[in-house]
Amino acid sequence: MAQAALAPLGAAGQLPFTPAAGYIPTFTTSIRPHHPSDTGRASFRSTSDSDAPTCHAGPGPNEESWKDKAHRAWDNVDSIWHSIQSKAEEVLSACDGESEVLDHDVIPDYVFDHAPYVHLYSGEQFWPCDIADHLIHTTPHLNYTPMSALSNLTVNNLSALNSYGFYTYLQSDDNVESRPTWLAGTQNIPSDPSSPSSNATYPGGRSTAPAILLTIRKPNNILDAFWFYFYSYNLGNKVGLRFGNHVGDWEHTLIRFQNGKPSHVFLSEHNFGEAYAWSAMEKLGDRPVTFSATGSHAMYATPGTHPYVLPWGLLRDETDRGPLWDPSQNVYAYTFDLPSRTLRASTRTPLAPTDWFAYRGHWGDRAYPLSDERQYQFAGQYHYVSGPLGPIYKNLARTEVCQGRGRCRTRYWLPPVGEVRLWDGEDGWGEGEGPEEEEEEEEEK
C-alpha cells in the first residue's frame, strides 16, 4: 500500500537540530490556556537535561523576553475573564429580579384544568368573533359623528380614543340589517373534535376567535378567573317585535378559586347573571359545562328555555347542546393587578395585546335615533340599543362572586327547565342599553 510522504522538517529533510543518542522527543498539551509557570505546557524534553535543545534565542538589547510577553498575555486573558465573570453576575442578578416580576404574570395550571366549556346554540346565527377583526369593520364615532382621523385603530392603540371620553362608539361600516358576513363570524365556529384535523385530546372544539382570560388575585387567597367571550353582533329576543339588537357583545363566565380549589361559578345571564356553587355545575371531567343562548349569547348552566318577564310581555332565551367550544384552546391570557390597575400578558400568551383593554368607550353603534327607519320603540324598549362597554366595566373588583349590586345568592342546585326569572327593571337588555340609560351605566363604573 502506498504511503503518504512526510513533509521535510528542515534543510535536506533533516531535523533542525541533531539529537543526542537515546533522545526521545515528547509533546504534551492541554485545551485550556496555561500560565507560563504551569508544568502542563507544551514542551520538548530529552532523557538528558544537558542534551535538551535550545528552542528560543535570547532577547535582543531592546526586546522583551518571551517569558515577559507570555506573562503579559496571560494577564490580559485573566483580566478579560474577570470582566466576563463580573458581567455574567450582573446579568444573573438582573434575571433574579425579573423572575420575581414574572411571578405576577404566571397563571396557575389549575385555572386551565377547570376552564369552562361552552355549548353554543345549534341554530346560532352570530358566532364568536375576534376583537381585532371587529376593529377592521368599524369606525370610531363621537356619539353620531365619525372620527375619520382615528379610523386606523387596532388592538394595540385603541385606547387613543380615551381622550374623547365615554361617548365613543365603534360603529359598523356596514348597514347591520344587510347582515354583512363579518358580523356572523361563521369562520369561527368551533372545530368538530371528532374530525381528523382537530386535536382529539380535547372533547371541545377550537375556535379561531380567541377568548379572553383575565385572572385577578384577591384577599383570603382568592383568585378570580374571568373568561370573556366577544361577538360582533347581538340578536335580541322577540315579543311579537324584536328588541335589544346591538353591534358588539361581551359575555363572561367567572370561576372563583380559593386556596387553589374552585368554589363558585358566575354566569352572565340576563338580569345581572346567576351564581352557582362549584358542586352544582354539570362537568366534563374537571371542567364545568355552560350554555350560550341563541342570539343574545347570555350564559346559562343548563340547556332549554329560560324565560324572563319584561313589562308588557314575556321574553325567553334558548340554549341547547350545539357545538362544544373549548375557549382554553385559543385564548389571550392576562393577569390584572387591582391596586395598580395593571394588565399584563401572562407567560401563557406573552405576545397578547394589552392596549385594547383600557378602551373606555362602547364596542358598537350608538342606539339609532327614532328618526332612523331601522329604529322603533315600545313600552320603553328599543329595537336597537347601544353597543356594550368592555370587560373593564364588569365589576372586576367584586367581593362577592355576583356582578350586580345587592345581595348575592348562590344556587346549590341547577334550576328546573323553564323556570321564569322576574325582571327587576334595572338590567333591561343585559349587555346593551337604550339611548336614555347611558349616564346611569357610566355611574356604575
Side-chain angles (χ1 to χ4, degrees):
M1 179 181 293
Q3 296 183 356
L6 296 176
L9 298 177
Q14 301 298 316
L15 289 170
F17 58 88
T18 303
Y23 172 77
I24 301 175
T26 61
F27 181 77
T28 60
T29 188
S30 173
I31 293 176
R32 66 180 291 271
H34 290 273
H35 193 279
S37 62
D38 289 349
T39 57
R41 65 185 183 277
S43 63
F44 282 100
R45 72 175 186 271
S46 68
T47 54
S48 171
D49 288 341
S50 61
D51 295 328
T54 301
C55 296
H56 299 279
N62 297 320
E63 292 182 4
E64 186 179 21
S65 72
W66 72 271
K67 289 185 178 181
D68 291 338
K69 290 180 179 179
H71 278 288
R72 184 161 51 80
W74 176 253
D75 289 341
N76 288 338
V77 171
D78 196 46
S79 175
I80 293 172
W81 170 249
H82 282 297
S83 176
I84 293 173
Q85 190 175 32
S86 175
K87 181 60 67 176
E89 289 174 354
E90 291 179 16
V91 172
L92 289 174
S93 176
C95 287
D96 288 341
E98 183 70 13
S99 66
E100 294 178 4
V101 174
L102 289 177
D103 286 344
H104 298 291
D105 304 337
V106 174
I107 296 177
D109 289 340
Y110 61 73
V111 171
F112 291 90
D113 293 340
H114 300 90
Y117 288 114
V118 182
H119 271 294
L120 300 170
Y121 191 70
S122 58
E124 183 60 68
Q125 300 178 56
F126 300 98
W127 303 89
C129 290
D130 187 335
I131 56 175
D133 187 58
H134 186 78
L135 295 178
I136 294 173
H137 299 283
T138 57
T139 297
H141 281 60
L142 185 59
N143 290 320
Y144 296 109
T145 303
M147 305 163 70
S148 302
L150 294 171
S151 59
N152 296 320
L153 292 173
T154 70
V155 290
N156 295 311
N157 63 1
L158 187 60
S159 68
L161 293 174
N162 289 349
S163 59
Y164 295 89
F166 172 74
Y167 295 104
T168 54
Y169 296 82
L170 301 178
Q171 182 167 312
S172 169
D173 293 334
D174 302 287
N175 180 357
V176 296
E177 295 205 335
S178 69
R179 296 293 188 263
T181 56
W182 65 270
L183 280 182
T186 52
Q187 72 276 14
N188 302 318
I189 298 175
S191 58
D192 180 358
S194 64
S195 65
S197 61
S198 63
N199 189 341
T201 304
Y202 300 93
R206 179 187 186 277
S207 172
T208 52
I212 306 295
L213 170 61
L214 195 68
T215 59
I216 304 176
R217 295 186 182 274
K218 297 180 178 179
N220 301 317
N221 205 20
I222 287 174
L223 184 144
D224 281 349
F226 290 85
W227 292 86
F228 285 98
Y229 318 121
F230 181 75
Y231 306 81
S232 283
Y233 194 71
N234 178 103
L235 183 65
N237 286 309
K238 297 179 69 173
V239 186
L241 299 173
R242 190 178 296 279
F243 296 98
N245 293 353
H246 54 85
V247 175
D249 189 21
W250 284 102
E251 302 292 341
H252 75 276
T253 296
L254 164 61
I255 299 181
R256 172 161 288 185
F257 298 87
Q258 188 163 24
N259 299 318
K261 304 293 183 182
S263 61
H264 294 81
V265 175
F266 174 81
L267 301 174
S268 58
E269 302 176 7
H270 280 111
N271 200 24
F272 280 100
E274 193 81 82
Y276 295 87
W278 176 259
S279 59
M281 296 294 296
E282 177 186 338
K283 298 180 185 68
L284 191 54
D286 293 328
R287 299 172 60 177
V289 178
T290 62
F291 299 84
S292 173
T294 178
S296 73
H297 311 119
M299 301 300 299
Y300 292 91
T302 57
T305 301
H306 309 275
Y308 52 101
V309 176
L310 289 167
W312 303 93
L314 184 68
L315 293 180
R316 63 184 60 198
D317 278 325
E318 296 285 343
T319 59
D320 67 9
R321 296 185 185 274
L324 185 61
W325 178 21
D326 180 0
S328 70
Q329 291 194 49
N330 185 17
V331 62
Y332 289 148
Y334 304 94
T335 64
F336 185 67
D337 180 65
L338 280 175
S340 64
R341 298 183 66 81
T342 301
L343 181 78
R344 297 184 179 93
S346 75
T347 53
R348 292 267 184 163
T349 56
L351 300 181
T354 57
D355 182 86
W356 66 270
F357 179 79
Y359 171 55
R360 291 171 52 84
H362 298 75
W363 284 79
D365 299 21
R366 183 171 183 179
Y368 306 140
L370 288 173
S371 58
D372 190 309
E373 63 180 9
R374 297 169 294 182
Q375 184 67 290
Y376 53 76
Q377 177 190 18
F378 180 75
Q381 305 302 319
Y382 292 83
H383 182 206
Y384 284 97
V385 298
S386 294
L389 299 167
I392 199 171
Y393 288 93
K394 304 305 179 186
N395 193 9
L396 301 178
R398 66 186 75 170
T399 302
E400 301 287 348
V401 72
C402 299
Q403 177 182 353
R405 299 162 294 185
R407 186 162 63 98
C408 181
R409 292 175 291 186
T410 300
R411 285 185 178 269
Y412 291 88
W413 58 89
L414 294 178
V417 175
E419 179 187 63
V420 177
R421 301 192 62 215
L422 296 179
W423 182 71
D424 59 14
E426 292 183 352
D427 179 49
W429 300 99
E431 299 298 318
E433 74 281 343
E436 308 303 324
E437 299 176 5
E438 294 162 348
E439 292 287 355
E440 180 180 350
E441 186 171 13
E442 169 67 359
E443 292 174 2
E444 289 181 8
K445 172 182 176 292

